């Protein structure tokens, strides 16, 4: 990322210097659509991030410039100042959530840019929220810790963007640690760093370049299915607060009380939480073949039960299997974006070549390939 482009633009727009902050996108090894069900996830922050330069401007307005889009926005921070541009809503939302928590957030000037691909399942929006959350908190010494900043980012999605997401993306962006994945319990927010250095293997993302838009409602519908089933199970088992507390026997008990669609989606989630725990055990033993096997199972579940895959991603998954890749699956919310692949070093070149060629031949789109490098979370530069 060319940080001096941000620097130069800031200088030319505002005639002064500011302070630079960054927050990264994320991968998730396994544990998909489990976060908003109180389950576990296993994300890591990556070397692709959002960057912003920021400086107080002694007004009550935010003047923001999105360098990648060459667009500017100016807005106040009162309740009826919601900006019209989508990207500005993230900045506004973060400020509003801070104000709701009793803090004073004066106006500022900012320029931002990033290299997290949009709509690719690497959480560009969480990176943006966390970048601004961290920057504003530090600039005005507001005293929020990283947990609160992650929750502020999540609340921004809920209240200003309309995506009822879980906490995984913002948490990974705020808490990322170089070389480690984060095993996060999404209910208690207890977490452990799991050093990730799969000897003999590489992690690579293949971007289908089919873009997804979680706000279109499919994501929120999946969440609603889980809530419906949880409510049905709770009638029989009052201790079940979230789907994470349920097991397959409890689910079977309510088969006639919920829709077939809600049932199958919840089955996926209950199985996925267990899959993550199994994968973590295998990781501890350094058994990456088992980890990979679980990733394939997750893909099948996401595709056939949770219905968040698509033809392009299923195709990439098939290619991985044919090439002998240890593990492969759709990553993130779904409906497009990337597959994440755990591949033996000696198979890497052949797999990547074949994936690019056959995908391009079939869909007339050249997929993008990213090697995963696990990096640190939000920080001042
Ligand atoms: C999106 C959401 C996350 C999570 C994933 C699916 O990335 O923002 O909270 O639910 O989808 O695991």
């Amino acid at each position: 990322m060319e940080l001096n482009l941000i620097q130069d633009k800031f200088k030319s727009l505002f005639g002064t210097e500011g302070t630079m902050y960054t927050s990264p996108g994320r991968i998730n090894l396994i544990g998909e659509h489990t976060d908003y069900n109180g389950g576990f996830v296993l994300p890591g922050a990556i070397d692709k991030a959002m960057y912003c330069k920021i400086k107080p401007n002694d007004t009550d307005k935010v003047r923001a410039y999105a360098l990648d889009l060459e667009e500017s926005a100016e807005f106040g921070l009162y309740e009826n100042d919601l900006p019209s541009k989508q990207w500005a809503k993230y900045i506004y939302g973060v400020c509003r959530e801070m104000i709701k928590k009793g803090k004073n957030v004066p106006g500022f000037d900012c320029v931002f840019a990033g290299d997290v691909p949009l709509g690719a399942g690497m959480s560009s929006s969480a990176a943006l929220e966390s970048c601004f959350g961290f920057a504003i908190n530090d600039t005005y010494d507001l005293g929020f810790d990283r947990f609160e900043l992650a929750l502020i980012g999540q609340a921004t999605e809920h209240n200003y963007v309309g995506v009822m997401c879980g906490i995984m993306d913002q948490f990974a962006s705020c808490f990322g640690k170089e070389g480690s994945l984060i095993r996060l319990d999404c209910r208690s927010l207890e977490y452990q760093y799991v050093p990730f250095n799969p000897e003999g293997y590489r992690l690579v993302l293949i971007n289908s370049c089919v873009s997804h838009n979680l706000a279109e409602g499919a994501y929120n519908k999946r969440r609603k299915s889980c809530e419906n089933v949880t409510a049905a199970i709770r009638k029989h088992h009052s201790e079940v607060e979230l789907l994470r507390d349920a097991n397959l026997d409890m689910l079977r008990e309510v088969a006639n009380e919920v829709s077939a669609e809600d049932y199958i989606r919840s089955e996926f989630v209950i199985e996925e939480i267990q899959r993550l725990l199994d994968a973590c055990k295998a990781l501890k033993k350094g058994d990456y073949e088992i980890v990979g096997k679980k990733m394939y199972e997750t893909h099948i579940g996401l595709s056939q039960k949770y219905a968040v895959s698509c033809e392009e991603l299923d195709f990439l998954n098939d290619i991985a299997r044919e090439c002998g890749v240890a593990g492969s699956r759709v990553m993130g919310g779904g409906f497009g974006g990337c597959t994440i692949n755990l591949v033996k070093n000696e198979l890497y070149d052949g797999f990547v070549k074949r994936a690019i060629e056959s995908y391009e031949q079939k869909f007339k789109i050249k997929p993008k390939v990213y090697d995963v490098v696990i990096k640190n979370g939000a920080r001042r530069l």
Side-chain angles (χ1 to χ4, degrees), residues 218 222 261 264-265 268 299-310 333-335:
R222 300 296 182 285
E261 191 175 84
I264 192 90
R265 292 190 176 156
F268 164 77
H299 184 85
I300 293 171
L302 285 169
S303 179
Q304 296 174 9
K305 294 186 177 177
Y306 220 61
V308 294
S309 185
C310 57
F335 314 106

Side-chain angles (χ1 to χ4, degrees), residues 35 38-39 184-190 239 241-242 244-245:
D35 59 354
L184 172 66
D185 178 329
C186 297
R187 176 161 51 198
S188 65
L189 295 190
E190 276 168 5
E239 72 280 14
E241 281 171 23
L242 292 159
R244 182 246 176 101
D245 303 313

Side-chain angles (χ1 to χ4, degrees), residues 11-66:
K11 189 91 199 257
S12 79
L13 282 177
F14 306 117
T16 174
E17 298 291 335
T19 308
M20 187 85 81
Y21 295 86
T22 184
S23 202
R26 60 108 190 87
I27 53 113
N28 183 31
L29 189 66
I30 197 161
E32 223 61 90
H33 292 276
T34 48
D35 59 354
Y36 50 84
N37 287 300
F40 297 90
V41 289
L42 196 57
I46 55 174
D47 62 338
K48 294 178 180 30
M50 287 294 176
Y51 300 84
C52 78
K53 203 172 228 317
I54 174 170
K55 187 172 188 194
N57 61 14
D58 297 322
T59 74
D60 57 0
K61 293 242 183 308
V62 173
R63 292 187 294 182
Y65 187 78

Side-chain angles (χ1 to χ4, degrees), residues 28 148 164 211 277 292 301 306 316 366 380:
N28 183 31
E148 290 167 303
M164 299 308 292
S211 104
L277 297 173
Y306 220 61
L316 287 172
K366 197 174 167 93
R380 177 167 40 180

Side-chain angles (χ1 to χ4, degrees), residues 79-93:
E79 210 149 326
N80 44 13
D81 288 333
L82 182 73
S84 57
K85 293 202 174 73
Q86 186 69 11
W87 57 266
K89 287 182 184 153
Y90 292 101
I91 306 173
Y92 171 82

Side-chain angles (χ1 to χ4, degrees), residues 26 28 30-37 41 121-123 125-126 154 157-158 163-170 212 214 219 223 268 272 302 306 308 329 331-334:
R26 60 108 190 87
N28 183 31
I30 197 161
E32 223 61 90
H33 292 276
T34 48
D35 59 354
Y36 50 84
N37 287 300
V41 289
M122 286 184 242
S123 300
S125 59
Q154 184 194 26
E157 295 280 350
H158 290 187
V163 177
M164 299 308 292
C165 65
I167 191 65
M168 168 167 74
D169 305 348
Q170 291 79 9
H212 69 179
L214 299 182
Y219 180 93
R223 183 173 180 146
F268 164 77
E272 179 70 356
L302 285 169
Y306 220 61
V308 294
R329 65 178 195 80
M331 187 182 75

